[in-house]
Amino acid sequence: MTLRKLALLGHPVLLARAEPVADVAHSSIQTLIDDMLATIIDADGIGLAAPQVHESLRLIVALELQDRAERGTAVAHVLVNPELTPVGEATELAFEGCLSIPDLRGRVPRHASVAYRALDRYGREVRGVATGLFARVLQHEVDHLDGVLYPMRMTDLRQLAFTGQLPQLTAWL
């Protein structure tokens, strides 16, 4: 496994729509998956999309958890060519960060619950319903596959701040 360099805000790979993965079993895809899993752990992340490691492919890895404190025991999901469908009308507004936009956090509206469908790393179809933080992570990572970064989803850019300023910002809100 190799740690991959992260693409940062402004890199064109983050703004393009990623291509579908044609052959999940191909050795290059399996290597990419292993590298992404190593990279997300090293970067202390909870989600990572292939474009974030300079690969314009529809592939994400995401940790299933409801609280960031669970990160050490979370289940890692590999989702190839993922599709999301909102479940219900409920939305939630919460702060998000991104490995490609270090040290910033922004308050982003997301669907409270989404159904997902994808292939796993072995090419088997997986389906499920995600809620809470896991639903937010899936939406954030699938946005990366469409060239969308979380500030593009924000409805009020006054709610964008450096991580160290979050206590002051949340007190102001």
Side-chain angles (χ1 to χ4, degrees), residues 18-22 29 32 49-51 55-60 81 145:
E19 295 295 320
V21 173
I29 299 301
L32 174 60
E55 297 286 347
S56 190
L57 294 168
R58 298 190 76 75
L59 165 64
I60 67 171
N81 300 329
L145 304 182

Side-chain angles (χ1 to χ4, degrees), residues 69-149:
E70 300 171 5
R71 188 178 177 281
T73 59
V75 175
H77 290 267
V78 174
L79 300 177
V80 180
N81 300 329
E83 299 173 8
L84 301 181
T85 305
V87 175
E89 300 292 321
T91 60
E92 297 174 343
L93 189 61
F95 281 97
E96 291 183 17
C98 181
L99 296 174
S100 293
I101 310 173
D103 301 323
L104 286 176
R105 300 290 181 268
R107 210 158 168 220
V108 182
R110 298 281 187 189
H111 296 286
S113 180
V114 293
Y116 63 92
R117 182 178 143 203
L119 299 177
D120 69 9
R121 75 173 303 159
Y122 306 105
R124 299 177 299 215
E125 184 177 60
V126 291
R127 293 172 178 258
V129 174
T131 59
L133 182 57
F134 187 47
R136 180 169 292 277
V137 170
L138 291 181
Q139 291 168 84
H140 178 110
E141 299 311 328
V142 170
D143 269 356
H144 275 299
L145 304 182
D146 295 328
V148 175
L149 299 167

